[in-house]
Amino acid sequence: MSLDVRALRSEDDVRAAGAVFRTAMVGLPPLPGGLDFADFFEPGRAFGVFDGGTLVGTTDSYTSWLAVPGGARVPHAAVTHVGVLPTHTRRGIVRALMRRQLADAGARGELVATLRASEGGIYERFGYGVAGSAAHRELDRRRAVLRDTVPAGGPVRLLDSGTAAERLARIYEHGGPAWTGAIARPSYWWRLQDLRHSGGAYDPHVAVHGPAGAEDGFVRYHPVDTASWFTSRDRTIVVDDLVAFTPEAYAGLVRFLLGVDLVDRIVFPHLAVDDPLAALLTDERAVRTGGVADETWLRLVDVEAALARRTYRGAGSVTLAVTDDLLPDNTGTYRVSASGAARTDSPPALSLDVATLAALYLGGSRWWQHARAGRVAELAEGALHTAEELFATDTLPFAGTSF
């Protein structure tokens, strides 16, 4: 089959891409009446593969930033809507789409790309690695008592959920240095959240922390099983979004959630793996971790520039031989030290592929783990230990944003 890969310019092509994506995903719920899928595509960023005149595969992305170790926000492509019709799978369509999309991201000056994977065995072959994970946690409110040492936090007030999106977007974008792994939330993302909550069986609740005009955090939550709410012994709220830019905001918002009456259980579907929630409580068993799953799949679009934008620790340096089959310009050797990173002609001390480097880039996994798996080869004694020190971070990466 001859693959015709091209940018999707017309609204009709974008709508067709939406239909392809929904067919490929199989289990997506229908869009509410009157909504146009084209409203959720950023113009100029969608690509498609055509078989004759029929669109059979698609991918899309949003203009974004990614917070990397050290606090820099690097230009980032948030990849989404990847799908191929079931009649055309296993024909190299996704590879063709990925190559075209990554070339476009590079031309835009985007150093990295991330996505959320519907399946775990697809994207490593295109240079993506699991760079961050998220934990599902549940809190038994009846057992949860905050330690006396937990800060009181600042003022918390409720907002009208129907008009809160603009305020929350402003708080998020101007919240100061973000945690490692955080990404920008474009207007399309906020509109999608409103869509998910509109027309449901519940009204979401929104609370913000901090003085008006200087908020430093917020929480959005909703109740479940409301038909039996007043007779249930397991009344549950689900925290859809918890953003705190300061320790005081985090403590204040957790304190607020624990003070919501008529609630027996609080579910946090997406928290950082090293989130301190349990440590705030006198009985840490009041928090149960239901599971940990991959969250951020990262791709380094420009290896040299991406390595140069994050910070490193330790007094040593290490040379990395990196291979990249999909974007061969990235293949080469790079010297990394606390003073920065750049290409070098020196002999490599470690060798790895670009997907493995992506998995290590934000500090979400350890070099020795990948060496045990045969994904990192130590070519000079002690190089693995040096890399561990250089790439070490205080916290695990976490995005907290699904797209």
Side-chain angles (χ1 to χ4, degrees), residues 307 310 312-322 332-352 357 360 367 376-392:
L307 286 173
R310 62 151 290 175
Y312 303 93
R313 295 177 170 179
S317 67
V318 69
T319 49
L320 310 176
V322 180
T333 303
Y334 303 85
R335 180 180 296 279
V336 178
S337 70
S339 61
R343 281 185 183 265
T344 181
D345 294 326
S346 300
L350 297 168
S351 67
L352 68 170
L357 182 59
L360 290 157
W367 283 79
V376 176
E378 187 175 35
L379 308 176
E381 186 177 356
L384 201 63
H385 176 73
T386 301
E388 292 281 15
E389 289 188 333
L390 287 167
F391 282 76

Side-chain angles (χ1 to χ4, degrees), residues 298-324:
L298 174 68
R299 214 303 177 180
L300 303 180
V301 179
D302 184 330
V303 168
E304 183 176 22
L307 286 173
R309 290 295 296 273
R310 62 151 290 175
T311 59
Y312 303 93
R313 295 177 170 179
S317 67
V318 69
T319 49
L320 310 176
V322 180
T323 56
D324 188 342

Side-chain angles (χ1 to χ4, degrees), residues 66-319:
L66 170 73
V68 302
R73 294 179 173 184
V74 304
H76 158 237
V79 175
T80 187
H81 299 147
V82 182
V84 177
L85 291 180
T87 53
H88 287 73
T89 55
R90 316 298 187 268
R91 303 189 191 186
I93 289 175
V94 175
R95 176 172 288 273
L97 285 167
M98 292 289 103
R99 181 181 285 111
R100 179 65 181 274
Q101 184 177 59
L102 291 170
D104 178 73
R108 294 173 182 269
E110 292 163 347
L111 308 186
V112 297
T114 72
L115 54 78
R116 308 293 178 259
S118 57
E119 294 183 75
I122 298 175
Y123 291 100
E124 185 179 308
R125 73 190 75 162
F126 310 124
Y128 283 87
V130 178
S133 299
H136 176 108
R137 293 199 168 98
E138 298 184 6
L139 186 151
D140 185 340
R141 182 178 171 273
R142 290 164 294 197
R143 295 173 60 186
V145 177
L146 290 173
R147 295 181 183 274
D148 294 339
T149 54
V150 174
V156 176
R157 69 185 187 283
L158 291 164
L159 298 183
D160 179 355
S161 62
T163 59
E166 184 177 346
R167 175 72 62 82
L168 299 187
R170 188 162 58 248
I171 295 170
Y172 186 86
E173 189 61 30
H174 300 289
W179 56 92
T180 296
I183 66 171
R185 295 177 172 182
S187 59
Y188 305 92
W189 186 89
W190 291 103
R191 287 159 60 187
L192 184 58
Q193 304 318 298
D194 287 342
L195 169 64
R196 286 173 173 168
H197 292 294
S198 64
Y202 58 84
D203 290 324
H205 302 272
V206 178
V208 296
H209 178 276
E215 299 91 347
D216 55 2
F218 59 84
V219 64
R220 178 156 46 178
Y221 61 96
H222 72 270
V224 295
D225 298 329
T226 54
S228 58
W229 186 260
F230 294 106
T231 57
S232 174
R233 300 180 65 183
D234 190 28
R235 291 169 293 200
T236 300
I237 60 173
V238 177
V239 176
D240 303 298
D241 203 6
L242 174 61
V243 170
F245 289 102
T246 65
E248 291 75 20
Y250 181 85
L253 291 169
V254 170
R255 190 180 293 277
F256 165 78
L257 288 170
L258 291 177
V260 177
D261 288 334
L262 300 177
V263 172
D264 302 305
R265 187 165 59 114
I266 304 175
V267 175
F268 300 84
H270 307 287
L271 285 179
V273 174
D274 55 355
D275 179 273
L277 179 62
L280 272 62
L281 305 176
T282 58
D283 180 1
E284 296 194 12
R285 292 184 183 182
V287 177
R288 183 177 67 86
T289 298
V292 174
D294 54 85
E295 181 196 36
T296 296
W297 286 73
L298 174 68
R299 214 303 177 180
L300 303 180
V301 179
D302 184 330
V303 168
E304 183 176 22
L307 286 173
R309 290 295 296 273
R310 62 151 290 175
T311 59
Y312 303 93
R313 295 177 170 179
S317 67
V318 69
T319 49

